[in-house]
Amino acid sequence: MIYKKSPEEIAAMRRGGDILVQTFEKIEAALRPGATTGELDEIAETSIIAAGATPSFKGYRGFTGSICSSPNEVIVHGIPGPQVIEEGDIISIDVGVYFEGFHVDSAWTFPVGDVTAQAAELLKVTEASLDAAIAQCRPGARLGDVGHAVEETAEQAGFSIVREYVGHGVGRSLHEDPQIPNYGPPGRREVLAPGMTLAIEPMVNAGGAGTKTLGDGWTVVTADGSLSAHFEHTVAVTEDGHEVITKRGPR
Ligand code: MG
Ligand code: MG
């Protein structure tokens, strides 16, 4: 069942979104060759707790990080630790913040120094696919329109959509209904309505769509070792369109 949020509940999520965005600014400032993913995790955890919030991911089904850190061929759910970030890497950082009873969820893939032309194109296209999906969010649109916008954007560029992992509703629980696949025909599935809060999160591979999970039980990588990018925003459907709750930069 899809839980619609009241304007007061969306206001609480907006405050959580502000904490998440500030946390991303601190992570980005520390993201350089030689830093470890564990250091970024510590920065994120300190930032979230100092704001009076709780990291959504820490302890979630036993996950040990406050962020997921997913470099290069890692698609999602990389565990932060001693891994050193290198010049030329791309790295997805996924952050969840729980504040005033609500979760917000956002991910961004960053280039570290100079990256290959293919990596730069993958980042550009995956971000564009998220923007295209968000642009579909308004009352009366269908959930299928959202996934279709991602699929169309990524596949036109010759990249592949990950199918095993999907976006989701977000609110009092980190993962709520509906599931939001990044593919599928437009004009199908649930009708969007004001108060729905959706974590839309395209995961796009430079090579094939296949995935595998490493022995740690969490880290999901591309089956062919190709690069993967991941961008995510928490978006509220409003009376006349949408609001990006986790928008970075000036609101
Ligand atoms: Mg996320
Ligand atoms: Mg998510």
Side-chain angles (χ1 to χ4, degrees):
M1 120 158 234
I2 299 177
Y3 296 103
K4 290 182 202 157
K5 282 73 178 179
S6 68
E8 293 74 26
E9 290 171 331
I10 290 185
M13 293 181 73
R14 200 178 288 128
R15 291 189 286 274
D18 288 341
I19 295 168
L20 191 152
V21 169
Q22 289 159 16
T23 299
F24 254 126
E25 285 167 1
K26 290 173 192 156
I27 292 169
E28 203 174 352
L31 186 57
R32 53 180 163 67
T36 68
T37 55
E39 287 164 13
L40 300 184
D41 184 54
E42 238 180 85
I43 287 165
E45 183 170 330
T46 302
S47 165
I48 293 166
I49 290 172
T54 307
S56 299
F57 302 162
K58 192 158 189 167
Y60 181 84
R61 297 186 184 168
F63 192 77
T64 52
S66 291
I67 61 170
C68 300
S69 53
S70 305
N72 301 322
E73 79 284 4
V74 181
I75 301 169
V76 284
H77 305 164
I79 304 170
Q83 184 170 29
V84 175
I85 296 162
E86 290 176 21
E87 169 80 21
D89 283 352
I90 60 169
I91 182 165
S92 155
I93 305 290
D94 196 343
V95 183
V97 167
Y98 181 70
F99 188 64
E100 296 181 351
F102 292 88
H103 295 273
V104 290
D105 188 6
S106 180
W108 210 259
T109 305
F110 300 97
V112 182
D114 283 331
V115 301
T116 64
Q118 185 200 45
E121 176 73 2
L122 180 67
L123 298 186
K124 194 180 92 183
V125 167
T126 309
E127 185 181 350
S129 75
L130 174 58
D131 290 344
I134 292 170
Q136 296 298 320
C137 293
R138 59 185 172 274
R142 298 276 191 146
L143 207 56
D145 303 343
V146 174
H148 183 72
V150 173
E151 181 177 37
E152 204 173 44
T153 308
E155 292 189 347
Q156 269 172 11
F159 296 135
S160 305
I161 299 285
V162 172
R163 293 178 172 250
E164 288 92 336
Y165 302 90
V166 297
H168 51 93
V170 59
R172 291 200 182 274
S173 298
L174 179 59
H175 297 117
E176 297 183 348
D177 288 340
Q179 291 203 349
I180 309 173
N182 294 302
Y183 57 89
R188 307 272 180 90
R189 298 198 56 207
E190 293 87 343
V191 177
L192 300 187
M196 289 185 180
T197 47
L198 310 172
I200 303 172
E201 50 179 317
M203 290 149 266
V204 177
N205 297 348
T211 74
K212 62 182 181 190
T213 304
L214 300 186
D216 61 24
W218 282 104
T219 309
V220 179
V221 299
T222 56
D224 60 8
S226 66
L227 293 175
S228 186
H230 176 214
F231 288 77
E232 176 180 30
H233 270 312
T234 294
V235 177
V237 180
T238 61
E239 295 293 338
D240 57 357
H242 58 262
E243 176 183 348
V244 181
I245 299 285
T246 52
K247 185 168 188 237
R248 296 151 51 83
R251 287 194 186 247

